């Protein structure tokens, strides 16, 4: 597993090379989508459980790359508390594209709905507490 310090160094190196954060998130989301395609056929039910940080943002991107799948995105918390602008932009893209993307404001209301694949995008390297 990559450490927080190592991930920060990777991000800093990418920025120094001129790779925009938005491109990093697009690449990460695309990689997640490829992993889903490796384990499930088109049409499979995929549920994404996402946090409010950049890890969630990566997953929002992945949802867009999985158009041939039955994808549901569940955001843990309120959309207005998404912590980065880039993750918020990708959440907004899901809303504008009319994807099945909803907020889960109470953990008792989280229903994975028996998917074929679950993407855990709840916590990333920035988690504290």
């Amino acid at each position: 597993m990559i450490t927080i310090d190592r991930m920060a160094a990777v991000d800093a190196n990418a920025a120094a090379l001129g790779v925009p954060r938005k491109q990093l998130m697009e690449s990460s989301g695309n990689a997640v989508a490829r992993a889903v395609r490796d384990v499930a056929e088109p049409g499979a039910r995929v549920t994404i459980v996402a946090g409010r940080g950049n890890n969630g943002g990566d997953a929002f991107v992945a949802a867009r790359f999985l158009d041939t799948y039955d994808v549901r995105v569940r955001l843990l918390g309120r959309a207005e508390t998404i912590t980065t602008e880039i993750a918020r932009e990708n959440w907004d893209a899901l809303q504008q594209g009319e994807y099945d993307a909803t907020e889960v404001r109470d953990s008792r209301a989280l229903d994975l709905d028996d998917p074929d694949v679950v993407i855990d995008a709840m916590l990333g390297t920035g988690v504290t507490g």
Side-chain angles (χ1 to χ4, degrees), residues 63-122:
R64 295 192 340 263
F65 281 105
L66 292 170
D67 275 343
T68 59
Y69 292 80
D70 181 8
V71 178
R72 294 167 184 77
V73 179
R74 300 298 174 251
L75 172 65
L76 300 179
R78 298 172 188 260
E80 62 264 19
T81 63
I82 292 175
T83 59
T84 67
E85 185 60 34
I86 191 168
R88 182 180 314 283
E89 287 174 13
N90 283 299
W91 172 259
D92 291 344
L94 293 180
Q95 299 303 301
Q96 292 169 0
E98 298 182 2
Y99 287 81
D100 181 356
T102 59
E103 299 172 343
V104 177
R105 297 180 181 191
D106 182 339
S107 61
R108 294 172 294 185
L110 179 61
D111 180 6
L112 297 181
D113 200 27
D114 196 30
D116 299 300
V117 177
V118 175
I119 298 172
D120 173 355
M122 293 180 280

Side-chain angles (χ1 to χ4, degrees), residues 40-56:
E41 295 295 322
R45 295 169 54 129
V46 178
T47 297
I48 298 171
V49 184
R52 297 172 292 113
N54 283 335
N55 204 34

